[in-house]
Amino acid sequence: MFFEVGLIVLLPLIFSVARRLEDQGDTKGSPYVLLGVPAIAALSTLHGMLPPHPGPLTAMTGLHADLGLTLGVGIVCAIPTVVLAGPVYARWIAPRLPEVRPDAALVAQFTGAGRRTDDRPAALSAGPGAQSRTDVEPRAGLGIGLAVTAVLIPVGLMLLRTLAETVLDEGDALRSALTFVGEPLVAMLAGFLFALGVTLWRGNGTGEQTRTSMTDSLKSIAAILLIIGGGGAFKQVLQDSGIGDAIASAAKGAHLNVIVLGWLIALLLSLTTGSATVGIVSATGIVAPLVGTGGGLEASLLVVAIGAGSLGLNYVNHAGFWLVKESFGMDLTQATRTQTVVQTLVSVIGLGMTLLLSVFA
C-alpha cells in the first residue's frame, strides 16, 4: 500500500531484469530507468488514488463516498494514468538518462549476486548452548498464490459489501453480515489474520520468531501512524480557524470546480508538508462542506482527485524522492526528471481522468 515499501519489495526484480537487459544490450539508455519509471508510476498511483491506502480511505470517510464506487472509479482513472506516466514516459526518458546505474554493491545485495555459499558457522551468541547460524532452520518461503490471496482478501470483502448493499434488501441477514465484514478495518483485520495463520502454518517458524517479526513490523508503521495523526490534527486546526469556510466561499464566488479545488489544495499541502497523506487528510477537511453527505459519483471522483493532487511535485521534502534517488544512484537532476516528473504526470493525468468522468456525474 505504501510507495516506499512497495518500491523496496520490487527493487530485486527491477535490478535483476535490468542487469540482464544491460548485459544483453537490448535497451537504449538506462534499463534501470526503463523499468524503474513504470514501477514508480504504478506505486504512486496506488498510494494516492486507491483504497485501501489510509489516505484515500480517510478521504472516502470524510466525503461520505461509497467504497465500491470509489474503488471502481479509482481503477478506471488509474489504468490510463499508469500507462501514460509509466511505460510511455519511460521509453522517452530512458535514452536521455543512459548513465543512471545503481551502486554495484546495492544491486548485488538485492539480487543475491556474490552471496556467500560456504557453510562456515558463525556463532549467534557466546557461551554454552550458543547456536551457529548454520544450525538455525531457515523459514520456508510462502507460495505466491497464498501471498496474493492475503492481499486480495480485504479488497474482496469490501467489494462484497458494496454488492450486498446494491442487490440485497436492507433487512436481509446476509447483507448485514457482508456489511460488517466489508468494513475497511474489519476487512483489513481479516487479511492480516489470514496472513498470520498461513505464516504460522507454512512458515516453519516458531511462535517467538513470529512475535519478533510482528514487533519489528510495528516499528516501521509508527512513523506512518504519527503522520496520519499529525495530518488529522492539522486538518482540525484548519477547520477551527475557519479557512475551510473561507475557501468554500471563495470557490463559490470564483465558480471553481470542486474537483479542481480539492486537487489543488491537496497538491499545495503535500508540497509544503512533504507528506501525501497530510495533503489528502487536510484537503478533505477543507472541501468536505462543499459536497455535503450525499455521496455518489461526485464524492468518489473528489476522493480520487484529492489523492491525485497529493502526488504532484514530489521533491526533496518527500521521503520517496530520496529513496528513488539513492536506490537508483541518481543525482538531484536525474531524480527530478524521474521521480518528480513521473508523480506530477500521475497527478495531472489523474485529475484529467476525474474531470472526464465527472461529465457523467
Side-chain angles (χ1 to χ4, degrees), residues 11-12 15-16 19 104-117:
L11 279 179
F15 286 172
S16 297
R19 189 173 59 177
L106 182 64
V107 174
Q109 178 183 350
F110 273 105
T111 60
R115 185 178 295 166
R116 286 178 53 185
T117 57

Side-chain angles (χ1 to χ4, degrees), residues 297-318:
L297 180 58
E298 183 184 23
S300 296
L301 289 172
L302 185 55
V303 170
V304 177
I306 290 175
S310 71
L311 301 171
L313 302 178
N314 186 288
Y315 199 47
V316 294
N317 58 341
H318 288 75

Side-chain angles (χ1 to χ4, degrees), residues 35-297:
L35 294 170
V37 165
I40 293 171
L43 290 170
S44 59
T45 301
L46 293 173
H47 181 97
M49 294 169 58
L50 288 172
H53 187 278
L57 274 180
T58 302
M60 188 191 69
T61 302
L63 298 173
H64 306 282
D66 179 77
L67 176 60
L69 183 59
T70 303
L71 188 59
V73 167
I75 292 173
V76 171
C77 294
I79 292 174
T81 300
V82 170
V83 171
L84 293 175
V88 173
Y89 180 70
R91 289 190 176 274
W92 183 84
I93 194 62
R96 291 162 173 80
L97 298 175
E99 67 278 7
V100 172
R101 184 173 289 102
D103 182 73
L106 182 64
V107 174
Q109 178 183 350
F110 273 105
T111 60
R115 185 178 295 166
R116 286 178 53 185
T117 57
D118 59 78
D119 295 326
R120 288 176 293 174
L124 290 174
S125 59
Q131 198 176 20
S132 69
R133 286 189 176 93
T134 54
D135 295 333
V136 179
E137 183 181 1
R139 302 187 71 171
L142 299 176
I144 188 172
L146 291 173
V148 172
T149 301
V151 174
L152 292 180
I153 281 177
V155 178
L157 290 176
M158 288 186 283
L159 289 177
L160 283 176
R161 174 193 175 184
T162 301
L163 182 63
E165 291 176 342
T166 304
V167 176
L168 301 177
D169 296 331
E170 189 169 345
D172 192 281
L174 179 59
R175 170 173 171 164
S176 300
L178 291 177
T179 300
F180 172 75
V181 299
E183 283 289 333
L185 290 178
V186 177
M188 294 297 291
L189 176 62
F192 163 74
L193 292 177
F194 175 84
L196 179 62
V198 169
T199 301
L200 292 172
W201 173 47
R202 297 285 297 274
N204 288 338
T206 64
E208 184 60 34
Q209 287 176 315
T210 302
R211 284 192 293 271
T212 301
S213 177
M214 293 176 63
T215 301
D216 291 339
S217 68
L218 289 175
K219 298 175 184 177
S220 63
I221 66 171
I224 296 169
L225 294 176
L226 289 174
I227 287 174
I228 295 173
F234 184 41
K235 176 200 74 172
Q236 194 61 44
V237 169
L238 292 174
Q239 285 181 325
D240 292 344
S241 68
I243 189 174
D245 296 334
I247 292 178
S249 301
K252 291 178 180 177
H255 303 288
L256 187 63
N257 188 305
V258 66
I259 292 177
V260 177
L261 177 65
W263 177 86
L264 183 60
I265 294 173
L267 175 71
L268 295 176
L269 289 173
S270 176
L271 174 64
T272 53
T273 63
S275 171
T277 304
V278 171
I280 293 175
V281 174
S282 302
T284 299
I286 292 174
V287 301
L290 298 177
V291 296
T293 59
L297 180 58

